[in-house]
Amino acid sequence: MSRREADSGPSKITGEPINGALPKDSPVFAEPWQAEAFAMVVALNERGMFSWSEWADALSAEVKSSNAAPDGSDYYDCWLRALENLLAAKGVAGGNEIDALAAAWHRAAHATPHGKPILLENDPEWDSRS
Amino acid sequence: MRASAARPRFRRMPHDHDHYHDNELDPMAARAKALETILTQKGLIDPAAIDAIVETYETKIGPRNGAKVVAKAWSDPAYAERLKKDATAAIASLGFTGRQGEHMQAVFNIADTHNLLVCTLCSCYPWSVLGLPPVWYKSPPYRSKAVIDPRGVLAEFGVSLPAETKIRVWDSTAELRYLVVPMRPNGTEGWSEERLAELVTRDSMIGTGLALEPQAA
């Protein structure tokens, strides 16, 4: 058994040249929201909101849907959508509620000075809702 | 580190106003914030616990855990036997336990059989011993090709096995996850577990690689 010598073209799986080098490790999460989405699922599973099998089914449905990117680059997009679907199915949070709050976070970000932490209270429409 | 403190994508407006239009959250980031807000308000998650989970997976759990398991199995036949019979308990005895109550099974590479892990369903992976999966493990090309053409997959990782070596593909599930125990390289007789663990790569425990040769470590 040996590692193979130089070969032609990059691997479709690893994206690395097929030259026997180990695939480079990328960071676990590409963006902070991915880490947040990941951790929310772990936390909700631990408190018993859903079993890990339920979660695997929900994630699998998103990963296999026709909306998913063929190269898997949107894995955490699928992850977040699967979480939204599960929360809707459990009656915890509906799509409209999430849409409204996401819009509020957008407005809050927009209204926050560069370099300052983005707080939901910075949403100009915040007072009217709370 | 507080990963959930939004790290916005800054977008400079082409002209300066005296009011602020500097920050934009990307759509997925805004949705994640929205979910976190709702779940926190409902008392279903604790932001501090979310941060702790992120930190654990970013810094504390990774393939070094699995490497310790493999190195111990290489140097301690009684441990290897326990690992074969009840991997969940043998791995837990080193302090590595799964958060989702999943069971573990160790699959041992031997001279005529090589083992390869995949999750065709989504991305089930032995987190407790390997951390979070690499990007390629979650990709559709790997998930489909590992089953259809495992030898071709190995070639893409630079691994070629003798034609007579059988390749067994193990499809992980939410309840049962696998760990490949690669073959111990020759020329490592008398090595300590710590030194042996250095030879155990993440990919060798997925089956897309082999343990490093002593001179390569």
Side-chain angles (χ1 to χ4, degrees):
Chain A
M1 289 192 244
S2 65
R3 294 196 166 277
R4 214 161 65 167
E5 295 304 309
D7 203 333
S8 56
S11 159
K12 286 186 185 65
I13 294 171
T14 65
E16 302 283 330
I18 302 173
N19 59 5
L22 290 171
K24 287 193 196 76
D25 276 319
S26 44
V28 175
F29 303 109
E31 297 184 49
W33 71 262
Q34 299 179 349
E36 248 169 87
F38 166 79
M40 283 191 279
V41 168
V42 172
L44 292 171
N45 164 249
E46 283 179 1
R47 86 189 306 279
M49 184 181 285
F50 43 77
S51 71
W52 203 257
S53 298
E54 273 181 278
W55 168 250
D57 288 342
L59 177 59
S60 175
E62 281 301 323
V63 166
K64 292 191 168 163
S65 90
S66 54
N67 297 327
D71 64 355
S73 57
D74 63 347
Y75 177 76
Y76 278 105
D77 296 47
C78 293
W79 185 283
L80 194 65
R81 281 199 297 271
L83 176 56
E84 288 188 23
N85 293 344
L86 256 187
L87 292 178
K90 302 267 173 195
V92 175
N96 292 343
E97 190 182 358
I98 299 167
D99 289 344
L101 254 181
W105 273 106
H106 267 298
R107 289 190 300 268
H110 208 56
T112 301
H114 188 108
K116 292 268 170 33
I118 298 171
L119 301 172
L120 193 53
E121 295 87 286
N122 296 351
D123 169 20
E125 298 176 31
W126 169 258
D127 285 342
S128 61
R129 276 182 304 108
S130 54
Chain B
M1 203 188 100
R2 175 150 173 82
S4 53
R7 195 186 297 160
R9 293 183 164 173
F10 296 118
R11 188 176 296 164
R12 277 277 166 206
M13 290 289 125
H15 47 271
D16 282 329
H17 294 283
D18 54 0
H19 54 276
Y20 303 108
H21 280 178
D22 279 354
N23 290 320
E24 292 287 348
L25 277 178
D26 94 23
M28 295 309 286
R31 292 196 83 74
K33 298 298 292 177
L35 278 182
E36 195 185 11
T37 306
I38 292 169
L39 293 168
T40 303
Q41 283 170 353
K42 296 193 176 187
L44 296 169
I45 57 169
D46 167 7
I50 295 296
D51 289 350
I53 293 168
V54 170
E55 201 203 335
T56 299
Y57 279 97
E58 282 187 328
T59 62
K60 294 190 186 136
I61 299 182
R64 298 334 300 160
N65 292 4
K68 284 181 194 157
V69 172
V70 170
K72 192 166 181 62
W74 281 350
S75 41
D76 178 349
Y79 183 78
E81 204 50 41
R82 272 156 58 210
L83 187 62
K84 229 173 252 175
K85 289 203 174 111
D86 184 353
T88 311
I91 290 168
S93 74
L94 298 188
F96 311 134
T97 49
R99 297 181 81 113
Q100 288 98 37
E102 68 273 23
H103 286 278
M104 290 290 309
Q105 183 177 339
V107 290
F108 289 68
N109 287 350
I110 50 176
D112 65 356
T113 308
H114 181 89
N115 297 287
L116 179 68
L117 311 186
V118 67
C119 174
T120 56
L121 180 69
C122 48
S123 55
C124 298
Y125 189 73
W127 291 1
S128 59
V129 279
L130 296 188
L132 292 177
V135 172
W136 53 261
Y137 185 86
K138 302 177 285 194
S139 73
Y142 180 75
R143 294 190 354 254
S144 56
K145 198 175 170 187
V147 177
I148 302 164
D149 178 19
R151 210 169 278 276
V153 166
L154 290 180
E156 294 197 32
F157 281 84
V159 176
S160 62
L161 300 172
E164 61 273 20
T165 303
K166 288 194 294 273
I167 301 176
R168 286 198 70 174
V169 179
W170 300 83
D171 194 353
S172 306
T173 68
E175 294 89 8
L176 181 57
R177 309 188 198 184
Y178 304 93
L179 173 72
V180 174
V181 179
M183 292 212 302
R184 177 172 176 166
N186 292 325
T188 58
E189 292 74 21
W191 282 34
S192 67
E193 281 180 33
E194 290 72 26
R195 209 170 156 208
L196 286 170
E198 297 295 313
L199 302 177
V200 185
T201 63
R202 177 196 64 201
D203 289 7
S204 74
M205 294 181 280
I206 301 175
T208 52
L210 307 175
L212 300 175
E213 296 296 323
Q215 62 275 14

